[in-house]
């Protein structure tokens, strides 16, 4: 299954033909369904069904778009997507594949119904293939569509995450918010968009790994994680601040480059809108950080303390330390 997921993504990334790209995405999607449905609960079955239906609709839209384009131009090449109707449908299908607004509704529900490891897979690896395809056709998509979808994703990602107590749903809205930044800049500087999404993947990975290691799924759990591991608790707080885009952490780097690019393109109003929406998302990141930092010992908490023994078998993974370090210390590597 793991091999199919990897091959599917690599196949899509390396293909120059729409049919091969579609085949790679289908292979990837069919391989992840058993992983989604592995927990024998009704929530997991529901999440698997939702994921399958949305991905199948997105795949059908991809086929429709590429077929219409082939009919008009006689070419199946990815870079030959010239028809305006085809590019719009293709952009929408790729947004549905990655979970960006206005077709984002499946993402929080699917993440909430799966395990933390699967949620990590969906928010990181599963986004690589559709974003690569969007990068390849970014010159042909109308900038208005990308900017509208990007700003909408930022607003929905910020507002949706404010009222959440479930960490998986909060991370889903965080993902939507970050995709908003990626899609907005995709119209003007595709390379910056790629850098932004890969920085986000580096930042999200240690958060999910630490949450898995400490069996933390809600804000209430998070307020008592100091009983399990003090180091990890403080690390999650720093990682959350980094994901929100606060300096001097790594998360500030792509946002600064995106704003710099928007202003140099004389899009000051768009840059201002982006900053204002990032302030909304900052609210729930700061709330998580406050819960972690202010409720550590010797402060008391009304929540019941977690039993230490349940997490004794959980060991930090190999990837956790380097990715956590990159998330907080990569700011000197800023390409200026």
């Amino acid at each position: 299954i793991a091999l199919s997921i990897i091959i599917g993504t690599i196949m899509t990334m390396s293909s120059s033909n729409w049919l091969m790209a579609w085949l790679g995405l289908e292979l990837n999607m069919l391989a992840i369904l058993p992983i989604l449905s592995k927990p024998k609960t009704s929530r997991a079955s529901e999440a698997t069904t939702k994921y399958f239906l949305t991905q199948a609709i997105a795949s059908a839209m991809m086929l429709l778009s590429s077929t219409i384009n082939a009919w008009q131009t006689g070419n199946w090449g990815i870079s030959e997507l010239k028809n305006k109707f085809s590019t719009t449908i293709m952009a929408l299908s790729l947004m549905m594949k990655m979970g960006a607004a206005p077709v984002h509704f499946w993402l929080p529900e699917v993440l909430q119904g799966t395990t933390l490891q699967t949620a990590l897979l969906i928010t990181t690896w599963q986004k690589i293939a559709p974003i690569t395809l969007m990068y390849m056709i970014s010159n042909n998509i109308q900038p208005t569509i990308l900017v509208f979808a990007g700003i909408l994703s930022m607003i929905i990602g910020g507002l949706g995450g404010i009222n959440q107590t479930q960490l998986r749903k909060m991370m889903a809205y965080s993902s939507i918010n970050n995709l908003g930044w990626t899609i907005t800049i995709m119209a003007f500087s595709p390379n910056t968009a790629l850098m932004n999404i890969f920085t986000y993947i580096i930042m999200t990975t240690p958060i999910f790994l630490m949450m898995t290691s400490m069996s933390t799924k809600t804000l209430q759990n998070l307020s008592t994680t100091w009983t399990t591991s003090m180091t990890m608790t403080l690390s999650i707080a720093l990682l959350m601040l980094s994901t929100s885009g606060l300096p001097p952490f790594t998360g500030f780097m792509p946002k600064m480059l995106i704003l710099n690019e928007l202003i140099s393109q004389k899009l000051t109003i768009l840059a201002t809108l982006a900053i204002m929406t990032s302030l909304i998302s900052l609210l729930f990141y700061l709330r998580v950080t406050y819960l972690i930092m202010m409720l550590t010992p010797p402060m008391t908490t009304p929540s019941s303390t977690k039993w230490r023994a349940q997490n004794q078998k959980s060991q930090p993974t190999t990837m956790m330390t380097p990715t956590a370090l990159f998330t907080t210390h990569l700011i000197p590597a800023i390409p200026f």
Side-chain angles (χ1 to χ4, degrees):
I1 286 171
L3 192 64
S4 298
I5 290 172
I6 293 164
I7 288 172
T9 302
I10 292 171
M11 211 164 127
T12 304
M13 289 170 71
S14 56
S15 62
S16 58
N17 184 295
W18 278 119
L19 286 177
M20 287 302 290
W22 173 80
L23 203 64
L25 285 169
E26 286 302 292
L27 177 64
N28 182 289
M29 185 258 285
L30 291 171
I32 202 174
L33 292 178
I35 298 176
L36 279 166
S37 59
K38 193 184 173 188
K40 300 293 178 256
T41 60
S42 57
R43 288 300 297 268
S45 305
E46 185 187 333
T48 310
T49 311
K50 283 177 180 174
Y51 185 81
F52 172 73
L53 288 174
T54 49
Q55 297 297 315
I57 292 166
S59 295
M61 285 168 70
M62 262 189 81
L63 270 184
L64 171 70
S65 168
S66 51
T67 309
I68 289 172
N69 187 67
W71 181 36
Q72 295 282 332
T73 62
N75 200 320
W76 285 96
I78 289 178
S79 55
E80 300 298 319
L81 199 69
K82 306 292 183 191
N83 188 304
K84 276 191 177 181
F85 177 72
S86 293
T87 51
T88 308
I89 297 290
M90 186 61 74
L92 267 174
S93 74
L94 292 175
M95 283 173 204
M96 189 183 276
K97 282 269 180 200
M98 63 180 91
V103 278
H104 66 282
F105 300 100
W106 63 272
L107 187 61
E109 295 300 319
V110 168
L111 286 204
Q112 187 55 32
T114 59
T115 60
L116 286 164
Q117 293 98 322
T118 316
L120 169 64
L121 187 65
I122 291 170
T123 50
T124 54
W125 184 261
Q126 293 299 96
K127 289 190 178 4
I128 295 173
I131 280 178
T132 308
L133 287 176
M134 189 174 270
Y135 174 82
M136 290 163 83
I137 62 166
S138 57
N139 290 334
N140 300 327
I141 306 175
Q142 292 167 297
T144 320
I145 295 168
L146 290 176
V147 168
F148 173 75
I151 292 293
L152 195 62
S153 295
M154 287 184 208
I155 294 167
I156 287 169
L159 292 176
I162 286 175
N163 207 27
Q164 298 299 331
T165 55
Q166 296 288 335
L167 289 174
R168 280 169 296 182
K169 275 195 175 179
M170 192 181 289
M171 291 308 292
Y173 283 108
S174 161
S175 171
I176 293 165
N177 179 271
N178 196 273
L179 278 172
W181 284 84
T182 306
I183 292 169
T184 303
I185 199 62
M186 187 72 80
F188 311 106
S189 174
N191 292 335
T192 313
L194 276 193
M195 192 201 70
N196 181 55
I197 199 68
F198 282 115
T199 309
Y200 173 74
I201 288 170
I202 290 170
M203 290 189 295
T204 307
T205 305
I207 293 176
F208 273 112
L209 290 175
M210 286 180 189
M211 278 160 48
T212 307
S213 184
M214 296 188 292
S215 303
T216 305
K217 292 178 182 175
T218 63
L219 284 179
Q220 187 182 14
N221 289 157
L222 206 59
S223 64
T224 57
T225 46
W226 54 266
T227 60
T228 307
S229 168
M230 195 66 202
T231 313
M232 276 196 206
T233 305
L234 294 174
S235 298
I236 283 190
L238 293 176
L239 293 172
M240 286 289 181
L241 289 178
S242 181
T243 315
S244 70
L246 276 181
F249 301 112
T250 308
F252 176 63
M253 176 178 66
K255 287 191 175 174
M256 186 169 79
L257 291 174
I258 288 169
L259 292 173
N260 182 52
E261 183 63 33
L262 289 175
I263 291 164
S264 67
Q265 297 268 5
K266 304 287 188 293
L267 296 163
T268 319
I269 296 170
L270 186 58
T272 311
L273 265 174
I275 293 168
M276 287 168 71
T277 53
S278 75
L279 288 175
I280 303 170
S281 60
L282 180 64
L283 183 62
F284 67 82
Y285 288 120
L286 282 177
R287 186 175 65 159
V288 174
T289 311
Y290 169 79
L291 260 176
I292 297 169
M293 294 290 208
M294 299 302 167
L295 297 178
T296 49
M299 302 292 287
T300 53
T301 170
S303 311
S304 55
T305 306
K306 291 176 86 175
W307 185 41
R308 287 171 188 270
Q310 78 175 53
N311 290 304
Q312 289 301 312
K313 61 183 180 193
S314 298
Q315 291 297 322
T317 59
T318 318
M319 283 183 68
M320 198 185 291
T321 310
T323 48
L325 281 171
F326 286 150
T327 304
T328 48
H329 294 92
L330 265 189
I331 200 80
I334 193 162
F336 265 147

